[in-house]
Amino acid sequence: MNRLLCVIWSLLLLSLPLRAERFVFTTIWTAQAEFAGYYVAKEKGFYDELGLDVVIQHPSLNSSPLYRLQHDESNAAMFSLLSAIDLISQGIPLVNIFQDSMNSSNILVSRWGVNPLQMKGKKVAVFNSDPNYLLSILSKQQGMDYQLIPFTSGINVFLSGAVDATMVVSYNEYFQLQQAGFKMDENSIYRYSKHGYNIQENGVYVKPEYYKTHRSQVQKFAQASKKGWEWAAAHPDEALEIVMKYVRAAKAPTNKVLQKLMLHEILRLQIDRESGRREFRVRPDMVKKASRLMYECGLIKRQVSYNELMGNE
């Protein structure tokens, strides 16, 4: 009888749902289609299926992804590849656990219809939340000596004529300029990805100590996130509705038309040019190129290797 009771009790324990492990993830910006795959993975239960209780946070002006990660308010945070290399070179170790970008979205747009490479010494609007590594590299390598004018967000500084050019990303401000009726031709825009500066952008990072002690959690997060992005690519209209749920909850200043364009462009940027597939991985050659360019232009004091970025050293 005792053995029977033990068997019954064991079966009951096995039938109980496992307690989900809490995993807090901070994105790089406010709610928008740039993070659609993560929203999908959350809403479709892909994280839950693997036993993860994922909490998606968005940063604020006084609480950046780095601050939240360093103060253990987040288990993982999003950074661009260039930012991650910079931080690691400064002695702030990070480990990449998931990569959702395979291409650069950065574009330099001139205000007066002039080739951006013929605007030496001119004023260029830049995001004050980003060190603007690519612009600094371009200015240094081409001897442009641009005057950098920081702005928080939007395109008003550029449209007002206060600056001669502006940095934009192809999935956001570029579409905002189009919606505002600003005319752009290929002569007045400089797409970094077409001029030897095609470097991956957003990835998800954790601290090395978390990576070492929570391998299962980070692997599950990566697996479910990949599934979320693949589902979004296969069901873009439904994914857009999920995005808008988060946009409305965050009261983000945007619109559905822009978010639809953003989602389409983000999904395009995820396709590797050589393989033609969504690979969700950091490319060693891009890490090597990015690290070399940043070092040669004096943006970092030492180069960072692929193995270091991936937690293999």
Side-chain angles (χ1 to χ4, degrees):
M1 179 63 72
N2 288 337
R3 179 180 293 182
L4 179 60
L5 288 174
C6 288
V7 171
I8 293 173
W9 179 247
S10 297
L11 291 173
L12 286 173
L13 288 176
L14 290 173
S15 67
L16 292 174
L18 295 175
R19 183 177 179 181
E21 299 173 277
R22 184 178 172 86
F23 187 94
V24 182
F25 163 52
T26 300
T27 67
I28 202 169
W29 194 244
T30 189
Q32 56 185 24
E34 184 178 5
F35 317 118
Y38 306 104
Y39 299 152
V40 166
K42 175 72 174 179
E43 296 300 310
K44 289 295 179 180
F46 299 156
Y47 294 127
D48 293 337
E49 290 171 2
L50 297 180
L52 283 185
D53 175 21
V54 173
V55 178
I56 301 175
Q57 297 180 341
H58 301 97
S60 61
L61 293 177
N62 59 359
S63 183
S64 69
L66 179 60
Y67 178 90
R68 296 187 184 191
L69 190 64
Q70 289 184 312
H71 290 78
D72 296 321
E73 295 177 10
S74 291
N75 301 116
M78 180 174 282
F79 302 99
S80 71
L81 177 59
L82 292 168
S83 292
I85 290 174
D86 185 11
L87 291 169
I88 294 171
S89 74
Q90 294 179 48
I92 304 173
L94 297 170
V95 176
N96 180 287
I97 63 168
F98 185 72
Q99 185 71 26
D100 66 50
S101 163
M102 295 302 292
N103 299 282
S104 174
S105 65
N106 282 272
I107 303 174
L108 180 57
V109 182
S110 71
R111 179 70 178 80
W112 314 114
V114 180
N115 187 326
L117 295 188
Q118 296 177 350
M119 303 180 74
K120 185 174 181 179
K122 297 297 184 180
K123 296 178 180 178
V124 180
V126 296
F127 311 110
N128 63 5
S129 60
D130 188 337
N132 295 282
Y133 303 102
L134 287 181
L135 182 64
S136 297
I137 291 169
L138 177 66
S139 184
K140 179 78 171 179
Q141 290 195 327
Q142 301 293 331
M144 297 307 299
D145 194 28
Y146 292 128
Q147 299 179 54
L148 307 187
I149 309 298
F151 69 99
T152 302
S153 63
I155 55 176
N156 291 337
V157 171
F158 176 70
L159 291 178
S160 71
V163 294
D164 305 291
T166 187
M167 285 289 292
V168 303
V169 291
S170 63
Y171 57 83
N172 195 352
E173 293 85 9
Y174 183 77
F175 291 133
Q176 290 184 38
L177 288 174
Q178 289 182 330
Q179 288 185 335
F182 184 79
K183 303 299 181 182
M184 293 173 284
D185 57 41
E186 288 302 312
N187 182 60
S188 64
I189 64 176
Y190 184 91
R191 297 179 185 273
Y192 285 85
S193 62
K194 291 186 176 181
H195 297 278
Y197 300 107
N198 190 33
I199 296 171
Q200 294 171 275
E201 295 177 347
N202 290 349
V204 182
Y205 294 80
V206 298
K207 293 190 291 187
E209 54 268 32
Y210 187 87
Y211 179 71
K212 293 175 183 176
T213 58
H214 295 77
R215 292 291 183 96
S216 176
Q217 287 91 331
V218 298
Q219 289 172 357
K220 290 175 181 178
F221 175 82
Q223 181 181 340
S225 297
K226 179 176 182 289
K227 186 175 180 180
W229 278 113
E230 290 173 338
W231 192 95
H235 309 85
D237 291 337
E238 294 176 63
L240 178 61
E241 294 304 321
I242 292 175
V243 168
M244 295 309 298
K245 173 183 175 180
Y246 281 78
V247 165
R248 287 189 288 268
K251 296 182 172 57
T254 186
N255 58 74
K256 191 172 183 178
V257 173
L258 177 59
Q259 292 305 307
K260 183 175 183 178
L261 292 169
M262 182 183 293
L263 178 58
H264 181 271
E265 177 65 1
I266 286 292
L267 292 172
R268 185 188 72 82
L269 291 169
Q270 288 183 343
I271 298 175
D272 183 80
R273 291 183 176 183
E274 294 181 9
S275 69
R277 300 191 305 270
R278 289 186 172 81
E279 298 189 3
F280 302 106
R281 69 180 180 96
V282 178
R283 287 183 44 159
D285 59 321
M286 290 197 184
V287 175
K288 185 176 181 180
K289 176 193 287 187
S291 188
R292 175 181 58 80
L293 287 172
M294 294 174 77
Y295 179 72
E296 290 176 352
C297 293
L299 298 178
I300 55 177
K301 294 183 178 180
R302 72 170 183 87
Q303 295 194 49
V304 174
S305 70
Y306 170 80
N307 284 333
E308 186 176 7
L309 189 83
M310 302 306 295
N312 298 326
E313 288 189 354

